[in-house]
Amino acid sequence: MATTTRTTRAVSALTSAETAFELLTCKPAPLVFDARPVPGLPDATMPLDALRKLLVFERYDSDTTNELWRQLARHAREWGPAWVVGAIGVALPALTHLAAKISRGYARHADDVDSEVLAGFLHALRTTDLAPPRLWLRLCWAAWRAGAAVVKADDGEELPLDLSTGSRLPQMPYGHPDLLLGRAVAAGLIPADAAEVISATRFGDALIEHLAAERGVTASVLRMRRRRAERVVAAAVTRGDLSGAARSPSRREAAVAA
C-alpha cells in the first residue's frame, strides 16, 4: 500500500545528498577532515562521516562549532565540489530535521521543501560572511527561511469571492510559525533577533544556553526576552494583526518586546 511518510518517500534532494555523501566517505579513500586546528575537537584527522557522528552525539560550545563551520565553509569554497558535498553531508542531520518540521502538515510540498532547504543552506555556505559569530546558526536560519517560503502560499486560506465578509472575523494566520515571526518582525512588533531566538530554540535544535553565551547574557535573561516577544506575537495573532498587511506597532508593544 502506498504511503506518503518521509521515511518511505522517493528520492529527494536531501536523500540524494546523503547518497553522494556516503560515496564520498566510503573506503578505501574517504574524504578526511583535519580537526586539529579546531579547538575542542579531537586532535586528529577523521573521515567526514566520523566527524558527523561525533557532532550528532556530542555537544560542543559555540567557539568550537563556529570554527568547525568556518573550516568546512572555506574548504567548500576553495577546495572544490567534493568538499561542498562533504560540508552538506555533515549538516544533513540538521537539514533533514528542519525540512521535516517545515513540511509537517504540508506533505505535498515535502520534496520542494527538501530542495529549498538544501539550496538555502548551499547558498549561505558559499556566500555568508564567515567572520561574525553564530555561523552555524546563520547557515541553518538561511536553510529554514528558504524551506519555509515553499509553504507560504498555503499559509491561511483566502475567502471565496462569493462569500460576504461584512461581519466575518479576520482570517486567523494559521500556517508555519516562521511565517508568523517574519510578519511580526516586518510589522515592528518584535526585533529580528527575538524572532531568530524563538525560531532557533522552539522549532530548531539550538540550545538557549548557547545563544545566551553568544550574546553575552545569561540564559534566564534570554528566556525572559523570548517570553516577552512570544507574548507580543500571541497577542497579535489573537487580534488578527498578523493575518494581513504589516502595521506599525503601538509604543507599548514596542517597549514590551524590546
Side-chain angles (χ1 to χ4, degrees):
M1 180 176 178
T3 180
T4 56
T5 60
R6 294 184 65 88
T7 55
T8 58
R9 272 195 299 112
V11 174
S12 73
L14 293 180
T15 57
S16 295
E18 176 63 24
T19 299
F21 182 72
E22 290 173 356
L23 293 173
L24 192 70
T25 55
C26 67
K27 295 180 179 180
L31 194 62
V32 172
F33 178 77
D34 186 358
R36 291 173 295 184
V38 181
L41 289 184
D43 187 23
T45 60
M46 62 183 72
L48 284 181
D49 57 342
L51 173 65
R52 183 171 76 175
K53 187 177 296 185
L54 191 68
L55 297 176
V56 168
F57 292 105
E58 298 288 343
R59 289 285 186 182
Y60 293 99
D61 61 27
S62 58
D63 289 340
T64 298
T65 303
N66 282 334
E67 185 55 34
L68 166 64
W69 279 100
R70 286 191 188 101
Q71 294 281 354
L72 287 173
R74 290 191 188 107
H75 294 353
R77 295 177 187 187
E78 300 170 5
W79 292 2
W83 278 96
V84 174
V85 174
I88 289 172
V90 174
L92 272 176
L95 298 182
T96 302
H97 183 67
L98 290 178
K101 281 183 173 289
I102 293 170
S103 59
R104 188 174 299 156
Y106 301 91
R108 68 183 183 277
H109 294 314
D111 287 334
D112 290 337
V113 168
D114 281 8
S115 296
E116 291 305 313
V117 164
L118 182 59
F121 182 84
L122 179 58
H123 179 74
L125 186 70
R126 289 171 168 167
T127 63
T128 294
D129 187 351
L130 304 182
R134 296 181 288 161
L135 175 59
W136 170 239
L137 185 59
R138 288 186 285 121
L139 293 173
C140 288
W141 185 245
W144 178 278
R145 286 197 304 268
V150 174
V151 302
K152 186 175 183 179
D154 279 355
D155 178 52
E157 297 176 356
E158 295 184 356
L159 300 178
L161 295 177
D162 59 350
L163 182 65
S164 173
T165 60
S167 61
R168 188 179 179 91
L169 291 175
Q171 176 70 30
M172 293 299 288
Y174 296 122
H176 201 280
D178 190 55
L179 304 177
L180 296 182
L181 293 174
R183 288 177 180 173
V185 172
L189 295 174
I190 61 173
D193 186 68
E196 183 177 315
V197 170
I198 293 170
S199 181
T201 57
R202 297 299 195 193
F203 313 115
D205 289 328
L207 296 178
I208 201 162
E209 290 79 7
H210 290 175
L211 301 188
E214 291 170 353
R215 287 162 170 77
V217 299
T218 64
S220 60
V221 166
L222 193 58
R223 284 193 186 94
M224 181 176 62
R225 293 178 182 175
R226 180 183 64 183
R227 190 177 305 115
R228 287 176 178 172
E230 287 172 341
R231 286 173 179 169
V232 170
V233 174
V237 168
T238 301
R239 293 191 303 268
D241 291 346
L242 299 183
S243 60
R247 66 170 180 85
S248 297
S250 69
R251 186 175 301 175
R252 182 177 182 277
E253 287 170 336
V256 169

